Amino acid sequence: MRTPAEADSTATDEFQARTDAVRALEGEFGELIARMRRHLMENAQRVSPGMLPGAYKVFTTIVHRACIAQSALAEHLVVDKGQLSRTVRELEQLGLIRRDPDPEDGRASILSPTELGLERLAAARAPQEDTLVKALHGWPIDDIRNLTRLLHALTTSSLP
């Protein structure tokens, strides 16, 4: 049987080990995010020279959702509505997205990608399309599925 002092020591050791593991994970996330930012910048430039990564993120979110209300997009991306409005106008002028009136609220807009937008995005992604597949080539499929499950659990947890 452990003494209270030994139990406290074990708890302290576990806490420190968990803290160290989380810090290491944060470091790896930092590296992953930096790499993803580079990919986003490169893809944005391929979609339209001069496009900023933020506009690319707005565009790809619209593509991913197929169609989305502009207000829902602002809420999802946690961005300023004025900035989003300017970005949407830019994407529309480039012919990448279409803005239609919301049938349920004529004052609101529904955003969707155009055929040109989908073509440009596919072309922009093509050079990096197999990057993740190649990076995970030697991984067992169960490990890939487990990583996906764990990342989903992390992103849907109550993080601030």
Side-chain angles (χ1 to χ4, degrees), residues 1-145:
M1 181 174 205
R2 291 189 301 180
T3 67
E6 290 172 330
D8 286 346
S9 176
T10 300
T12 301
D13 291 347
E14 280 184 36
F15 178 80
Q16 188 60 50
R18 181 173 299 277
T19 299
D20 292 346
V22 169
R23 286 181 182 153
L25 179 61
E26 286 175 344
E28 292 304 318
F29 273 136
E31 292 298 318
L32 180 62
I33 289 167
R35 192 170 189 182
M36 290 305 297
R37 280 187 182 142
R38 278 193 299 280
H39 286 299
L40 291 174
M41 286 177 26
E42 292 166 4
N43 283 357
Q45 293 303 304
R46 284 193 286 270
V47 167
S48 180
M51 178 182 275
L52 297 174
Y56 180 78
K57 179 62 179 165
V58 169
F59 175 53
T60 58
T61 302
I62 294 167
V63 169
H64 179 72
R65 299 291 176 102
C67 68
I68 186 170
Q70 189 165 330
S71 58
L73 181 62
E75 187 176 308
H76 174 74
L77 295 174
V78 191
V79 296
D80 174 74
K81 289 181 182 180
Q83 178 61 42
L84 179 62
S85 189
R86 289 186 290 279
T87 301
V88 164
R89 193 171 29 254
E90 174 190 333
L91 294 171
E92 191 176 26
Q93 289 170 348
L94 290 169
L96 302 174
I97 65 166
R98 183 175 75 240
R99 184 188 336 217
D100 296 309
D102 185 334
E104 296 178 18
D105 180 359
R107 298 168 296 153
S109 296
I110 299 292
L111 309 172
S112 56
T114 62
E115 283 302 314
L116 173 65
L118 294 173
E119 290 169 10
R120 299 273 289 276
L121 183 58
R125 287 177 167 167
Q128 297 164 337
E129 199 166 66
D130 294 330
T131 302
L132 191 55
V133 171
K134 289 176 184 173
L136 299 174
H137 176 74
W139 287 40
I141 293 172
D142 285 343
D143 285 355
I144 297 169
R145 288 183 180 137

